[in-house]
Amino acid sequence: MARADITPETAIDTTESFLSIGGVHKTNRRRDASLIIRPAGDTFTLTIQTNHPELQAALGSISTYSLPLTREELWGAVQECRTAWRKAVDLHLYNLTAAEPQVSLLRDLAEAGYKLFLKLFFPDDDYPELRKVFTVFTEYLHRNELWLRIESAKFFAPWNLVYSKEVPLQPGSEVDPSGFWGYQHLIEHVPSDVGKQGFEPSTRPGVPYRISLQLDTNLDTEFRLPVTAPVTALLGGYTTAQLTQRLRWRRDDLAQALRGGPRDDHFMYFCCHAEVDGFDSTLRLAPSWIYLSDRPQNYIKPDDIGFWLSNQMLEDHPIVFLNACGGAQLNSTFYEGFAKVFLARQASAVIGPQTEVPVLFAGEFARRFLKQFFLGGPDNSLGLVLHRLCREMWDADHNPLGVLYSIYRGADIFLPQAIGPHP
């Protein structure tokens, strides 16, 4: 091959943290901005990186700032915000749609998100540089729709729920949904202690897409609502030449699959009860756990996943969707446990809600998500489908709960070819 025939192409830029996945498709696009949060004693530092000239010029030469929050203070602020969203969950327990926006509820959510925003970036103490940079940064956020990358190992927050516009004080005033970061922007959290470079699922032309279903089928009968059924019905519409299913109902089923192999799922879907100790204002780093159909005594913790895999990796770098519902109690430490253990074993991405979601919503959201993702192509990447579906349900159905779903790494992963067409 002559030198002129070789076209240089950057697969990943490890110096700027704008790219996510090495060796991925050409649409592996630069993130518009990265917020890199690192421990600094009992608190943290924040580094902002961007390749947008306007934002670079506005931020000036200083890019790293003190973030004067301890983990305990962060926990308290996050839990206050999450408590407000639990009210939204309760309101939509048995309804996917509302006739009109819930003005009072959305105002409460915006107020909780704005309080979290102030706690994160506008401390009461004297930090003029941090205040200045975030005044500029949020003005830019309000004028644009961005892909944002959050990189941190010990600083987990529900970034989608942050609200950065002024909240109207009048009780009946409507709230601008674009003030919610998860409505306006596509946000991807990358735990910085599982490596800079991500992985792409190893799909191959002519090979059926392999999806495993880790399910708690008690949920459908317990709530008398379709919970796992919407996804199983969707998948049943594809031929075995297009897609193969692996059903795992019990803890031992998952243990055998991870320990004995083959560990070659392309997509691992969990729809189950999940909990983590410490859903209050006091930071308690107790283990998280999930249950399948053989609950409650057979719970599964993150270190069980690591133990079953031993020193093995997930061979085909699956996407992991943790759909937690049925009265679960989630918080940031749930993903600090489960997202990390899957990503550290070379899963390509982890998706899941920041609080429990109503069982009816969980099943329908997952069904719509998979149906769109299976269409393939860069317009149906994980991040774009997640963001688009959140907006669709918010705007058309007046249901804001889609914003609860976060993505940990892999926002630009997509299927090169569609699975289907679905009948």
Side-chain angles (χ1 to χ4, degrees):
M1 181 180 290
R3 184 179 298 273
D5 296 329
I6 302 174
T7 302
E9 181 176 320
T10 301
I12 187 166
D13 180 347
T14 59
T15 63
E16 297 185 3
S17 298
F18 294 137
L19 298 180
S20 182
I21 303 165
V24 80
H25 316 289
K26 291 182 180 179
T27 55
N28 179 22
R29 57 165 285 178
R30 285 178 175 268
R31 305 307 188 247
D32 296 307
S34 293
L35 305 183
I36 303 170
I37 302 173
R38 299 187 178 97
D42 292 334
T43 58
F44 299 86
T45 62
L46 167 68
T47 300
I48 301 177
Q49 295 181 342
T50 179
N51 59 359
H52 280 219
E54 177 189 347
L55 193 53
Q56 286 178 333
L59 295 180
S61 57
I62 300 176
S63 60
T64 299
Y65 310 86
S66 294
L67 204 60
L69 270 180
T70 65
R71 289 195 76 187
E72 290 76 11
E73 290 170 334
L74 171 66
W75 176 274
V78 164
Q79 293 304 84
E80 184 177 347
C81 179
R82 198 173 275 112
T83 297
W85 278 88
R86 285 173 62 85
K87 295 179 182 177
V89 168
D90 292 341
L91 183 67
H92 291 88
L93 274 178
Y94 303 105
N95 297 288
L96 287 173
T97 63
E100 57 187 20
Q102 307 296 310
V103 175
S104 177
L105 173 68
L106 292 178
R107 190 195 172 282
D108 290 345
L109 298 179
E111 181 177 330
Y114 191 68
K115 288 178 179 177
L116 178 58
F117 170 69
L118 293 176
K119 191 71 174 180
L120 290 171
F121 304 118
F122 288 84
D124 294 332
D125 298 331
D126 187 22
Y127 287 86
E129 290 296 338
L130 181 62
R131 288 172 170 270
K132 177 182 177 182
V133 73
F134 254 86
T135 298
V136 172
F137 188 60
T138 51
E139 288 176 356
Y140 190 78
L141 291 180
H142 297 159
R143 297 196 307 271
N144 298 278
E145 296 180 12
L146 307 178
W147 278 43
L148 297 177
R149 174 185 168 104
I150 313 292
E151 181 181 317
S152 67
K154 299 295 183 183
F155 199 98
F156 278 66
W159 301 104
N160 286 354
L161 311 186
V162 171
Y163 191 87
S164 56
K165 290 190 173 181
E166 291 287 347
V167 182
L169 293 177
Q170 295 78 8
S173 300
E174 292 192 6
V175 166
D176 183 354
S178 68
F180 288 100
W181 282 18
Y183 180 95
Q184 181 74 352
H185 310 291
L186 197 165
I187 303 176
E188 170 191 42
H189 189 148
V190 178
S192 55
D193 51 357
V194 293
K196 287 277 188 182
Q197 184 168 314
F199 296 88
E200 182 183 8
S202 301
T203 55
R204 290 174 290 278
V207 176
Y209 194 71
R210 295 184 295 270
I211 182 168
S212 65
L213 304 173
Q214 287 72 214
L215 305 178
D216 180 355
T217 54
N218 299 308
L219 295 170
D220 298 69
T221 53
E222 183 178 326
F223 288 92
R224 299 181 182 179
L225 291 169
V227 187
T228 64
V231 168
T232 55
L234 171 75
L235 299 180
Y238 296 95
T239 68
T240 55
Q242 299 166 329
L243 181 148
T244 60
Q245 302 179 51
R246 295 166 173 174
L247 303 179
R248 298 169 188 150
W249 315 104
R250 303 173 304 144
R251 184 181 190 272
D252 286 348
D253 297 335
L254 181 59
Q256 179 58 38
L258 297 182
R259 173 170 284 183
R263 293 164 291 275
D264 60 352
D265 296 336
H266 295 131
F267 200 113
M268 298 181 71
Y269 176 70
F270 291 77
C271 186
C272 55
H273 188 89
E275 288 189 18
V276 61
D277 192 17
F279 197 90
D280 53 34
S281 60
T282 303
L283 176 60
R284 290 183 286 168
L285 299 179
S288 312
W289 59 88
I290 57 176
Y291 303 113
L292 301 184
S293 297
D294 56 347
R295 57 172 161 126
Q297 66 274 18
N298 294 308
Y299 54 82
I300 299 166
K301 298 182 294 185
D303 61 1
D304 291 323
I305 305 294
F307 173 70
W308 294 331
L309 285 168
S310 185
N311 62 344
Q312 304 299 314
M313 298 298 167
L314 295 164
E315 296 165 5
D316 278 355
H317 315 305
I319 298 157
V320 179
F321 192 138
L322 295 164
N323 211 6
C325 54
Q329 292 189 359
L330 299 190
N331 54 45
S332 297
T333 62
F334 180 84
Y335 292 103
E336 193 168 342
F338 276 101
K340 283 186 179 181
V341 73
F342 281 113
L343 293 175
R345 300 310 173 104
Q346 299 186 356
S348 60
V350 175
I351 298 167
Q354 281 291 328
T355 74
E356 73 279 11
V357 291
V359 290
L360 186 65
F361 184 86
E364 178 61 14
F365 188 88
R367 184 193 70 81
R368 295 191 196 185
F369 176 88
L370 289 170
K371 189 171 183 179
Q372 290 189 31
F373 178 67
F374 286 169
L375 295 175
D379 290 340
N380 295 299
S381 69
L382 289 177
L384 289 177
V385 169
L386 200 67
H387 190 231
R388 183 168 64 236
L389 186 53
C390 161
R391 280 195 169 186
E392 285 175 1
M393 298 188 80
W394 191 310
D395 295 339
D397 302 333
H398 307 303
N399 190 326
L401 299 185
V403 79
L404 288 170
Y405 284 86
S406 298
I407 184 166
Y408 298 85
R409 199 191 285 283
D412 46 9
I413 288 172
F414 63 87
L415 294 176
Q417 296 177 323
I419 300 174
H422 187 269

